[in-house]
Amino acid sequence: MPRHEFLRGGFFRRVPGAASAAWAPVLEGDEDWLTGCYADELLVTQIAGTIVPADIHGEIMREPTSSSTLPSLVLRMLEDLQVEPGAKVLEIGTGTGYSTAVLCARLGEEYVTSVEYDKDVAARAQSALGRLQVYPTLITGDGLLGYRGGAPYDRVIATCGVRKIPAAWIEQTRPGGLILATVGGWLGSSELACLTVQEDGTASGPLLGGAVSFMLARPQMAPPLGLLPDLSAGREREAVVGADVLDDWTSRFVVQAAVPSAQRLTLEQDGRVEHVLIDAESGSWAAVYEEDERWIVRQDDTEPLWDAVEEQMGRWRVAGAPALTEFTVTVTPKGQTISW
Ligand SMILES: C[S@@+](CC[C@H](N)C(=O)[O-])C[C@H]1O[C@@H](n2cnc3c(N)ncnc32)[C@H](O)[C@@H]1O
């Protein structure tokens, strides 16, 4: 697949050594543009919801919002999804259109529907696919709602992450069909999940492993934290579980499932580092720090976040600290559960 056709607008390259992530544009015609296009790397194509490489001279320090997935991950996902000829596929997150084109090459364009949230990104993908004379059904809108017009699908694949597998994807997939998406959250850990849709309208399946991460679906991105609560109030005690569980990919995933609305901040005050979890919706918070080789937690009493973290970590450790590949995601009309 000629990947450079999907990157004619250039891409952003991460600036090495910068303290926080900084990005510099690489444009068509630049010396390393073509080699970059054919490197097995994720290439960021949009930042902060609107900014494209041609907009920037120098560097920019904001979050990426669209990219071309690394080609080996596109192929791995199509293998995980078991896309066989004759299968009708709904893709969420068209991005540059590269993975859409790969799907069309495998299945034929009449079997592929792809939804992109951002209208400018969608328009660029449509032009790139048009240059290659590939014409799948392209929809601009919120892919979390699926696309009823093409249902039922045999396969749903998402190249943006979700906190919860949307009910619409299950409703629009035929029984026995597969849904492949990264399940993640606001603590920044995620994993690919492959769910099989059942006759009764539920879906379940394993996490597949590999620490796969995608930018979260736009409507599910973390809300602003708002005014910080008074982090000096609250009750303090020795913590059973230290804040180091937030640094490891697997234990962070376990914690995230226990406190799905929490976001993390790291503050330095009074000469020590405090690891803070805040739930912007409920206002609950917990601040954890290390003192004399012990972990101390201070938290508000209404909905003690760190109690929930410790309870979940305790259950996971008692079970032998299973790897994420031993986890199962289940979605029923009552909601999503992640178990091991
Ligand atoms: C990692 S990129 C997709 C890359 C694409 N697979 C490729 O090969 O170029 C993720 C895309 O998902 C889109 N996106 C985010 N939330 C979405 C949503 N709710 N519905 C549809 N697309 C969404 C983003 O705008 C972004 O373009």
Side-chain angles (χ1 to χ4, degrees):
M1 184 59 59
R3 194 183 186 205
H4 69 278
E5 284 296 350
F6 300 90
L7 293 160
R8 290 218 180 261
F11 52 83
F12 290 99
R13 173 152 286 154
R14 198 169 172 154
V15 179
S20 55
W23 304 90
V26 178
L27 296 174
E28 183 175 0
D30 287 353
E31 205 188 351
D32 48 354
W33 173 75
L34 196 59
T35 23
C37 291
Y38 287 95
D40 189 22
E41 283 172 16
L42 171 159
L43 296 173
V44 170
T45 48
Q46 186 201 54
I47 286 186
T50 51
I51 298 166
V52 294
D55 296 337
I56 295 294
H57 300 282
E59 296 173 8
I60 176 167
M61 276 159 273
R62 286 288 303 270
E63 283 300 302
T65 42
S66 192
S67 61
S68 168
T69 309
L70 71 163
S72 59
L73 180 57
V74 171
L75 292 187
R76 179 219 154 149
M77 287 176 73
L78 296 192
E79 280 172 12
D80 288 338
L81 194 63
Q82 301 162 41
V83 274
E84 300 299 336
K88 211 157 106 179
V89 177
L90 173 67
E91 178 189 50
I92 315 298
T94 316
T96 60
Y98 173 76
S99 54
T100 318
V102 175
L103 270 170
C104 291
R106 173 84 176 125
L107 300 172
E109 61 196 20
E110 63 276 33
Y111 290 94
V112 179
T113 300
S114 185
V115 187
E116 170 57 50
Y117 192 83
D118 182 306
K119 66 174 177 15
D120 296 330
V121 171
R124 286 192 288 271
Q126 185 167 26
S127 306
L129 288 161
R131 280 196 297 276
L132 297 178
Q133 301 192 345
V134 179
Y135 302 102
T137 303
L138 295 176
I139 306 295
T140 305
D142 184 0
L144 298 177
L145 305 174
Y147 177 63
R148 209 171 281 282
Y153 302 99
D154 299 293
R155 301 285 185 265
V156 175
I157 178 171
T159 56
C160 54
V162 289
R163 296 173 70 218
K164 288 184 181 161
I165 302 288
W169 296 358
I170 300 173
E171 284 158 23
Q172 294 172 24
T173 304
R174 67 160 176 81
L178 299 179
I179 297 173
L180 183 72
T182 40
V183 176
W186 298 338
L187 294 184
S189 183
S190 59
E191 204 52 271
L192 257 184
C194 188
L195 283 74
T196 305
V197 173
Q198 313 293 337
E199 290 283 353
D200 63 2
T202 64
S204 71
L207 296 183
L208 301 182
V212 175
S213 161
F214 277 105
M215 46 192 69
L216 275 176
R218 298 211 191 174
Q220 294 192 351
M221 281 170 143
L225 283 175
L227 279 182
L228 282 189
D230 177 6
L231 298 176
S232 64
R235 258 203 296 171
E236 209 164 77
R237 63 169 172 82
E238 188 168 342
V240 182
V241 165
D244 48 347
V245 296
L246 300 173
D247 296 330
D248 171 73
W249 188 264
T250 301
S251 56
R252 190 159 76 234
F253 190 93
V254 175
V255 168
Q256 185 174 261
V259 288
S261 300
Q263 299 181 55
R264 182 183 183 182
L265 281 183
T266 307
L267 299 175
E268 206 173 322
Q269 54 185 32
D270 305 332
R272 68 176 180 233
V273 175
E274 295 214 337
H275 306 271
V276 180
L277 291 186
I278 299 183
D279 181 330
E281 279 164 33
S282 69
S284 314
W285 58 271
V288 185
Y289 62 94
E290 208 170 5
E291 191 177 68
D292 300 331
E293 297 184 4
R294 296 179 314 152
W295 285 101
I296 310 290
V297 57
R298 196 173 61 254
Q299 58 187 338
D300 75 318
D301 271 339
T302 43
E303 221 175 277
L305 285 180
W306 206 252
D307 289 13
V309 169
E310 290 181 337
E311 208 259 325
Q312 175 95 327
M313 284 302 296
R315 280 197 318 112
W316 178 65
R317 283 174 176 162
V318 164
L324 292 181
T325 45
E326 293 176 49
F327 284 43
T328 301
V329 180
T330 304
V331 187
T332 70
K334 287 191 185 143
Q336 174 175 297
T337 52
I338 297 179
S339 54
W340 55 81

